Amino acid sequence: MLKNYSLLVPFASLSTAAGVIILLARWINGNLLLSSPSALISYGFMAGICYTLATAISFIVVSSLLNKRNYKQNQHTQSFLLFTIQQKLSGMNLKVIRLFYLLTSIELWLIQLISISVLSEIMLNIPIPITLFLFLTGMLLLDRIMSVKSILWLEILFIIALFSLLIFIPIYYFVQNGASTVYEGIRLYHPYLFYFKNSEILLFYVIIQLAVLGQVLFDKSTWYLIAFIKPKKIRRSLFSSGVILALLTLSFTAILMIALYSGSFGQFQVLIFTFLYEVQPGFLTFAFLVIVLLAVVTSLLVDMRATKRFFMKKRPYYFYLIGLMVILLTFFLSIDLTILGVIYSFAFLHITILPFMLILLFTNRRIHKHSWFVILLSILIGIGVALSFNALYGLATSFMISSIYQLMLQTDTIEKMPEP
């Protein structure tokens, strides 16, 4: 069962500034910090920039779609997403969406564990199994001892440290060495990164944007945090978060350019390693390590608290956590995982569920009883196309099938939802 009680805490009713901070802390995690180099290597600078811009644009889109009147009625009771799921779904629709709601945690946790393992391998030189065991144990302890208020303060500390680092590094390096030196070095060693005529780049932009928008709309942590923001400040907080995240993209891209300009690299882990030791060993290396750890810990703590609201009692929640840990370790120890690979795999769910979420959250139409089947069928067909051709074509196929059939089902079942 879904919980239905107040989220009010002493630190609730946040202003726009505080709302922006907690939203940024959720989405600036190991995914952004370590997967952007991988996207850049695969598709070039423009792809790396657009990948990091996708979340920013999604925030701006959600802020424009969110109906203030409907949201105010449910403020501080539970997340808007959970409330809407309760009100508008039933039968198999409810069961399937609740299952997806829990499964999305696997993506977030896998990406953060990959991030931790990368840091352990190239910086701490600790065996990965030991690192993962210590990290998961630490997360369980933090979940037990930290209050919601302390988590929010930790997010504020993280954002302050992140802004300081991302602003300081490019200025420090470009003042010392000059921007033209970096640009000419990249043109010499990596001219392909400035090549914009790859026929798949445009498709990559569109698919990633749609998948990230679906992810934001179905992200339990985002809606959980939104419930702490004053109703009148929610749309402004979402819009401001998008704008600030877009600006951070420029600074992060500059840091990647610094890492690239001096020579070749083998993979994105080496790119991070190059950056750390090219700029200045010591302080900045330690600062980067702290930033990534804070990013991983804050995003996972919020996910754990958002998931806890899903359960009526603590025992099922901890059973869920134990099951999640077992699944994560099984995946991690038996499959060679990469961040971009995990993102592509779960992108099938995010992009397929996007049309469904737009109808669910932002219209008064009743959801058709076979909508769940359309989602599953679209995912399966898209995966089949991806295996036969490539992932981008498969994702595009999933989105088109889901959009067409969800709209076809809605034309037969348009009904006004009763006013609460």
Side-chain angles (χ1 to χ4, degrees):
M1 296 291 293
L2 301 175
K3 267 192 172 180
N4 188 15
Y5 61 86
S6 175
L7 288 175
L8 281 174
V9 294
F11 204 64
S13 298
L14 301 177
S15 64
T16 301
V20 168
I21 288 174
I22 62 174
L23 288 173
L24 289 176
R26 158 62 187 93
W27 284 97
I28 301 176
N29 50 41
N31 182 352
L32 175 67
L33 296 175
L34 297 183
S35 64
S36 295
S38 185
L40 179 148
I41 292 169
S42 300
Y43 296 98
F45 268 115
M46 286 303 298
I49 293 173
C50 288
Y51 177 81
T52 52
L53 281 176
T55 304
I57 295 173
S58 297
F59 278 160
I60 295 172
V61 171
V62 174
S63 71
S64 65
L65 291 175
L66 194 61
N67 187 309
K68 292 188 292 183
R69 178 181 62 83
N70 288 343
Y71 190 84
K72 287 180 182 178
Q73 295 167 348
N74 313 314
Q75 179 67 17
H76 294 314
T77 56
Q78 57 184 325
S79 80
F80 182 58
L81 175 61
L82 287 182
F83 179 88
T84 308
I85 288 174
Q86 279 184 309
Q87 294 296 310
K88 299 183 69 173
L89 298 183
S90 60
M92 283 300 297
N93 278 330
L94 180 60
K95 293 177 182 178
V96 171
I97 295 304
R98 289 179 65 186
L99 175 63
F100 287 159
Y101 184 89
L102 294 177
L103 287 180
T104 52
S105 292
I106 297 177
E107 177 188 16
L108 178 64
W109 279 81
L110 280 177
I111 290 174
Q112 308 317 309
L113 290 181
I114 294 171
S115 304
I116 291 297
S117 67
V118 168
L119 293 179
S120 173
E121 186 176 2
I122 69 175
M123 296 180 64
L124 304 178
N125 200 25
I126 301 175
I128 292 177
I130 296 176
T131 301
L132 295 182
F133 175 77
L134 294 176
F135 177 74
L136 292 175
T137 303
M139 290 304 305
L140 291 174
L141 291 175
L142 288 175
D143 181 55
R144 292 282 294 176
I145 65 177
M146 292 190 70
S147 64
V148 174
K149 184 176 181 179
S150 60
I151 293 174
L152 296 178
W153 278 111
L154 182 64
E155 291 186 336
I156 292 174
L157 173 64
F158 160 59
I159 290 298
I160 292 173
L162 175 72
F163 272 59
S164 301
L165 189 67
L166 290 185
I167 292 172
F168 170 74
I169 290 175
I171 294 176
Y172 167 82
Y173 201 83
F174 286 132
V175 167
Q176 275 198 330
N177 299 277
S180 60
T181 303
V182 174
Y183 176 76
E184 292 300 329
I186 295 175
R187 287 194 61 184
L188 175 63
Y189 290 106
H190 311 286
Y192 59 91
L193 293 179
F194 292 113
Y195 182 70
F196 305 115
K197 294 183 179 180
N198 185 336
S199 59
E200 290 190 347
I201 288 181
L202 179 59
L203 181 60
F204 175 84
Y205 297 161
V206 175
I207 293 301
I208 286 298
Q209 181 59 69
L210 292 173
V212 171
L213 179 57
Q215 183 181 17
V216 171
L217 289 176
F218 197 52
D219 183 67
K220 55 180 175 288
S221 299
T222 300
W223 291 108
Y224 171 76
L225 293 172
I226 285 175
F228 291 101
I229 305 172
K230 293 179 181 178
K232 294 182 179 179
K233 306 293 184 181
I234 291 169
R235 299 181 75 181
R236 188 180 303 171
S237 296
L238 285 166
F239 182 85
S240 300
S241 298
V243 172
I244 293 173
L245 194 56
L247 295 175
L248 284 178
T249 298
L250 302 177
S251 179
F252 190 66
T253 302
I255 291 175
L256 295 179
M257 291 176 68
I258 293 171
L260 284 166
Y261 92 96
S262 60
S264 61
F265 58 88
Q267 51 185 333
F268 78 93
Q269 288 95 334
V270 179
L271 177 61
I272 298 170
F273 186 83
T274 302
F275 155 68
L276 293 172
Y277 289 92
E278 178 66 34
V279 178
Q280 178 182 329
F283 167 72
L284 289 180
T285 303
F286 176 76
F288 185 85
L289 174 63
V290 171
I291 288 295
V292 175
L293 285 176
L294 283 175
V296 170
V297 170
T298 53
S299 60
L300 291 181
L301 283 175
V302 172
D303 179 78
M304 295 169 81
R305 292 307 166 94
T307 304
K308 187 179 292 186
R309 305 295 175 183
F310 185 85
F311 296 95
M312 287 292 293
K313 299 179 180 179
K314 290 184 177 180
R315 181 175 294 182
Y317 167 68
Y318 288 111
F319 283 159
Y320 160 80
L321 276 186
I322 293 173
L324 177 64
M325 301 301 175
V326 171
I327 292 173
L328 291 171
L329 290 176
T330 302
F331 271 117
F332 203 88
L333 297 178
S334 60
I335 303 175
D336 185 17
L337 297 172
T338 64
I339 291 181
L340 209 56
V342 173
I343 292 171
Y344 266 129
S345 299
F346 280 88
F348 283 98
L349 170 60
H350 300 315
I351 202 168
T352 303
I353 209 171
L354 174 58
F356 176 85
M357 294 306 300
L358 291 173
I359 295 170
L360 177 71
L361 296 177
F362 305 117
T363 74
N364 288 324
R365 296 178 178 182
R366 191 176 299 278
I367 302 300
H368 193 278
K369 62 181 181 180
H370 293 148
S371 291
W372 66 273
F373 181 73
V374 171
I375 296 173
L376 294 178
L377 181 65
S378 302
I379 292 175
L380 292 176
I381 294 176
I383 292 174
V385 173
L387 293 175
S388 301
F389 298 96
N390 63 40
L392 291 178
Y393 292 155
L395 290 167
T397 302
S398 289
F399 177 73
M400 288 188 293
I401 293 175
S402 179
S403 299
I404 292 171
Y405 278 95
Q406 291 292 357
L407 290 175
M408 287 175 62
L409 291 177
Q410 290 305 314
T411 58
D412 295 330
T413 58
I414 299 176
E415 293 182 14
K416 289 276 188 177
M417 289 296 292
E419 292 291 336

